[in-house]
Amino acid sequence: MTDSPRIAFLGTGAQGASTAAEFVAAGLDVTFIDQWPDHVEAIRKNGITVNLPTRSFNIAVPALHLCQIAEVKQPFDVVFMVVKAYDTRWAAEMIKPVLAKDGLVVGLQNGMTHEDIGAIVGRERTIGAVIEVASNMWVPGVVNRQNDKDESWFALGALDPETQPRVEAVANLLRTAGRVEVMADIRSAKWMKLVVNAAELIPSSIVDLPLNDAARYPGMLEVMRLAGYEAMHAALADGAEIIPIIGLPPITTNHPERYVDQIFDEVLKTFSRPDTLVTSLQDWRKGRRAEVQEVNGWVVDRLRAHGRSAPMNELVVKMGFEIENGERRPDVANATELIELYRKLTH
């Protein structure tokens, strides 16, 4: 890593833009790249504005449209990929020609995207990552981030063991935006995050409620936890280890389901505000598709590969796709069907 690496953030929605803006404020050489034309033009005209709980700042940054990647002459040393999980493969193909020969791509995303990135740019140039930050963006060029640096958490780890010694330098960059842990087993860390995402993202979106309200709605906490339990069983069946994430202390229980409760409780307590809308519900309210298949669908597929079922996640996927197909609306009334399945499965 050079003293002044060229850095790109590919995907500068709420998470990407707010993180990248901290990099720029720290004096790093950062280029924003995004697929939303209005957002890019707003940044070019007015800079990026980041609103945090107790402070706001605005800073000028260079911003490129996707089509301008082909115009980049000087390759990037580090690319933080913050696109949706379902956009990973094409984004990796698009950025590969402008990645330095010894450059690194950091998959700062939900889902198990690290292998897709590695398959395209090379495992030796891939760093898996986990992010736990609450943010939203409804207006081009303006991000609302609900966790400041002390409450933002990231994990990083290389896919190739020979690349692992390089991860600390990338972690030092990312520490401008929050707490960062370097992990030897990033695959397990990403599985642990997928476990809590399976519990919170699509289930709370289906009932059209902020995360904390969804968890307090009678019967929904049990539904969400069951989706997480199934995800944990999928993780273990897939060879993942139960490891602490999001700043939790070392594991003190050998009961997988109790650890799911611990992770979920920490997310609700530390990383969520009363009005926090998960990324999936934000997507649906913007008319975009969410990461249904990449989170809950992943759980269903992995357990099915091991001859097992994930009935709660199967229903979550079914309802999620019905919403995206226009056959159902996000609504608190949807809780009834989820709760009925929970009772059927547990009684």
Side-chain angles (χ1 to χ4, degrees), residues 184-295:
D185 187 1
I186 194 63
R187 181 174 180 274
S188 290
K190 287 187 72 64
W191 251 122
M192 294 301 102
K193 179 64 192 306
L194 192 144
V195 165
V196 72
N197 280 348
E200 64 172 298
L201 296 186
I202 304 302
S204 69
S205 300
I206 287 171
V207 296
D208 197 31
L209 291 173
L211 180 57
N212 277 280
D213 287 350
R216 284 193 295 264
Y217 188 85
M220 276 300 296
L221 181 60
E222 291 78 11
V223 165
M224 297 164 84
R225 283 178 168 171
L226 181 54
Y229 298 162
E230 291 177 355
M232 179 61 87
H233 295 318
L236 296 176
D238 207 40
E241 300 287 336
I242 299 177
I243 61 174
I245 62 169
I246 60 176
L248 287 172
I251 307 300
T252 57
T253 176
N254 60 2
H255 196 304
E257 295 184 355
R258 298 291 75 77
Y259 185 56
V260 175
D261 294 345
Q262 290 179 27
I263 305 175
F264 195 21
D265 289 348
E266 181 66 14
V267 168
L268 292 172
K269 179 180 73 174
T270 302
F271 297 97
S272 300
R273 299 290 180 265
D275 62 343
T276 295
L277 299 180
V278 299
T279 180
S280 305
L281 187 52
Q282 293 181 47
D283 287 335
W284 285 349
R285 290 188 178 182
K286 294 173 183 176
R288 302 177 58 188
R289 63 189 175 103
E291 295 164 322
V292 178
Q293 178 58 38
E294 291 73 20
V295 177

Side-chain angles (χ1 to χ4, degrees), residues 10-23:
L10 178 53
T12 54
Q15 304 286 50
S18 61
T19 305
E22 296 281 14
F23 279 42

Side-chain angles (χ1 to χ4, degrees), residues 14-76:
Q15 304 286 50
S18 61
T19 305
E22 296 281 14
F23 279 42
V24 178
L28 296 169
D29 177 1
V30 180
T31 299
F32 284 43
I33 305 172
D34 202 75
Q35 59 184 311
W36 185 12
D38 291 350
H39 184 45
V40 173
E41 292 305 317
I43 292 171
R44 288 175 168 178
K45 182 178 180 180
N46 302 312
I48 185 73
T49 298
V50 181
N51 299 315
L52 293 120
T54 61
R55 64 187 177 103
S56 296
F57 68 95
N58 173 274
I59 196 162
V61 301
L64 301 179
H65 295 283
L66 283 182
C67 61
Q68 294 178 297
I69 292 176
E71 301 172 13
V72 173
K73 298 296 188 293
Q74 185 180 352
F76 295 108

